Amino acid sequence: MSTREPAVPTAPPPAEPAPTWVTAPRLALRAPRAPGAEAKVIGRARDALAGMAAARPSLAAWHERVGGDIEAVLRRAIDHELVRLRDPDPGDGVHPADRARFVAELQDVYLELCELRLRRRVESHDRAQEALERLRNIASPSTLLERVTREICVGCGFERGVLSKIEGSEWILAGAHFEAHDDWADEFVRFGSQARPTLTPALLETQMARRRAPALVTDAVNNPYTHKPFVECAQVRCYVGAPIMPRGRVIGFFHADHHFSGRPVDELDRDTLWAFTAGFAYVYERAVLLERLREQRDRIEKMATSTATIVSDLCESEIGVERLDRDRALVRSRTAALAGGERENTLLLTPREIEVLSLMAAGATNAVIARELFIAEGTVKSHVKRILRKLNASNRAEAVSRYLRSKIQERNASTLPLAS
């Protein structure tokens, strides 16, 4: 939450009360919760400013009554003291040499703090890249979405991560990871997936989607643009958010915070989540494209198999036609005394179709016929359809009946003399 930076006045006489800029909100040297070396640096700055409290009560009031960005506080303190150093006031009781040493100490603290901030930024960037590399090895988009909120916490240093999606104009929670609080995360996702708030201009997420930019919320309860049911359910105090934009189209959001430790989010948290979100958009798009390629490959393989089956049937049909010509010549050389349409119809069948029909007559199913003839079951179905059509039969039973009658006629005809 940005604040107005008040002007820095000259130091007041000792008898006068502290000036109004001392009590301006959110500008004091109150150290944020920071681990390790950064907390020590901030402590040094606090001690340095406290050392001037006896001579300058305004700094003591500044230190005690308001809080804010430590870097801004240090810069303001340095600028103020430089002004007093260039235009000393004998009445303030501070020797110029003491003031110069104090300014030098503040500058050292400020530079060390800047170095620590830069180091933290580099480390956060490296952790985010490592998290993206782990996600990049996941090929399934659904699995990727299940893992991403955990990586927001593990890789980017947050304690809670939330994934939401946009369907039409509805904002729907899709996943969450709360460190050591899985039940709470599941409850929050169930609540958010059923609530489905509409993305109106009054919501911060709508503004993020329109601006295609991340957001930093320092007071979620009092911010007029936050969705209060979500804030209450998740007990959100402050958070950062970023839109997910594969190919420039916003499809959802990431939100994250440091709820359990109570550490407020800052600009670095916002930038870290934004960098992670930008990289995740490419990782997710890659996974979706790979899944589509796999689906295309499967369809092409099925088409190739079907084509091979059709070509095989055509080849068998050509062979059958040649054999059929020979068989017909042989039959015409025999007797014309044979009667009955069934045998004529069976003569129209190819050798492979006769094999299929004979197995059908034996009671074999399509699967059994496929195993016996070493062909695909789909090929068997094609043969059966052609057999029914050629025999003018309405079902398998009728085709088998005509086949058996033709076999009886053939046995009877084999006893007749050959035609001259």
Side-chain angles (χ1 to χ4, degrees):
M1 178 180 296
S2 61
T3 56
R4 182 175 60 87
E5 296 185 356
V8 179
T10 58
E16 296 180 3
T20 56
W21 64 268
V22 173
T23 59
R26 307 194 63 79
L27 284 177
L29 192 58
R30 184 188 307 162
R33 298 184 182 182
E38 186 174 339
K40 295 179 181 179
V41 171
I42 296 173
R44 284 182 55 194
R46 290 168 60 90
D47 295 339
L49 291 178
M52 297 293 292
R56 298 192 67 246
S58 61
L59 285 179
W62 188 11
H63 168 68
E64 294 294 338
R65 298 187 60 175
V66 276
D69 181 9
I70 180 63
E71 292 181 357
V73 171
L74 285 173
R75 287 195 303 268
R76 195 172 302 281
I78 293 171
D79 293 341
H80 184 76
E81 294 305 315
L82 286 174
V83 171
R84 302 300 297 155
L85 188 62
R86 288 193 298 267
D87 186 15
D89 182 5
D92 64 6
V94 180
H95 194 277
D98 293 336
R99 192 182 300 278
R101 283 193 296 270
F102 176 64
V103 171
E105 183 177 359
L106 287 180
Q107 288 176 335
D108 290 341
V109 171
Y110 177 74
L111 292 176
E112 186 175 349
L113 181 61
C114 289
E115 181 181 354
L116 288 171
R117 295 288 192 192
L118 179 60
R119 187 183 309 163
R120 182 186 167 200
R121 183 174 293 275
V122 172
E123 291 174 353
S124 299
H125 179 271
D126 291 343
R127 289 197 302 268
Q129 290 299 317
E130 291 173 359
L132 290 172
E133 283 297 324
R134 289 191 293 269
L135 293 175
R136 190 175 182 273
N137 296 326
I138 300 176
S140 170
S142 58
T143 305
L144 188 64
L145 295 178
E146 292 174 0
R147 287 277 304 277
V148 65
T149 52
R150 182 177 182 276
E151 287 297 340
I152 288 177
C153 297
V154 175
C156 300
F158 294 101
E159 297 171 8
R160 300 195 302 183
V162 177
L163 165 68
S164 58
K165 61 182 179 179
I166 298 175
E167 290 186 0
S169 61
E170 292 182 333
W171 176 29
I172 306 170
L173 297 189
H177 178 78
F178 295 0
E179 287 189 349
H181 292 79
D182 294 337
D183 294 340
W184 189 7
D186 295 339
E187 178 185 354
F188 182 52
V189 172
R190 283 194 298 271
F191 173 77
S193 61
Q194 295 172 359
R196 294 173 173 258
T198 302
L199 287 172
T200 63
L203 278 180
L204 177 68
E205 282 65 27
T206 304
Q207 300 175 16
M208 280 197 295
R210 289 179 176 177
R211 298 195 314 266
R212 287 172 167 76
L216 168 63
V217 178
T218 57
D219 187 359
V221 175
N222 297 316
N223 190 307
Y225 297 104
T226 58
H227 187 63
K228 296 305 183 290
F230 286 175
V231 171
E232 295 172 0
C233 182
Q235 301 177 15
V236 181
R237 293 185 291 271
C238 58
Y239 67 90
V240 290
I244 306 171
M245 302 185 302
R247 298 190 179 183
R249 184 174 64 89
V250 179
I251 63 172
F253 305 97
F254 284 135
H255 294 81
D257 64 7
H258 304 288
H259 176 82
F260 302 113
S261 66
R263 180 168 74 85
V265 293
D266 55 20
E267 289 82 0
L268 180 56
D269 292 320
R270 178 197 62 196
D271 297 343
T272 299
L273 182 64
W274 182 229
F276 176 85
T277 305
F280 174 78
Y282 291 104
V283 173
Y284 181 72
E285 183 178 4
R286 174 179 177 272
V288 171
L289 290 176
L290 287 176
E291 184 176 58
R292 290 177 181 174
L293 286 174
R294 288 192 296 269
E295 293 175 354
Q296 291 288 347
R297 180 197 62 192
D298 294 341
R299 281 197 288 267
I300 291 173
E301 288 179 351
K302 290 180 180 179
M303 290 175 59
T305 302
S306 177
T307 303
T309 301
I310 294 174
V311 171
S312 177
D313 292 343
L314 290 175
C315 292
E316 290 180 355
S317 297
E318 292 176 358
I319 295 173
V321 169
E322 296 175 358
R323 292 181 178 176
L324 180 61
D325 292 339
R326 293 195 299 268
D327 292 341
R328 284 177 173 174
L330 178 60
V331 170
R332 281 194 298 268
S333 65
R334 288 174 175 268
T335 178
L338 293 174
E342 285 80 3
R343 186 164 181 266
E344 287 295 330
N345 287 334
T346 57
L347 291 177
L348 297 175
L349 301 179
T350 66
R352 175 65 80 183
E353 290 168 350
I354 292 175
E355 290 177 337
V356 172
L357 184 55
S358 63
L359 290 172
M360 288 169 54
T365 63
N366 289 348
V368 173
I369 295 173
R371 287 197 301 270
E372 289 291 331
L373 300 181
F374 300 100
I375 58 177
E377 190 171 348
T379 305
V380 175
K381 293 179 181 179
S382 300
H383 286 317
V384 171
K385 289 181 181 179
R386 287 195 292 269
I387 290 171
L388 296 180
R389 185 177 66 252
K390 291 179 179 180
L391 296 183
N392 196 24
S394 58
N395 52 50
R396 295 167 69 101
E398 185 177 350
V400 169
S401 175
R402 294 190 176 186
Y403 169 73
L404 293 177
R405 285 199 297 270
S406 69
K407 295 297 288 183
I408 294 173
Q409 293 175 1
E410 186 177 353
R411 283 197 298 271
N412 293 335
S414 62
T415 59
L416 297 177
L418 293 176
S420 58

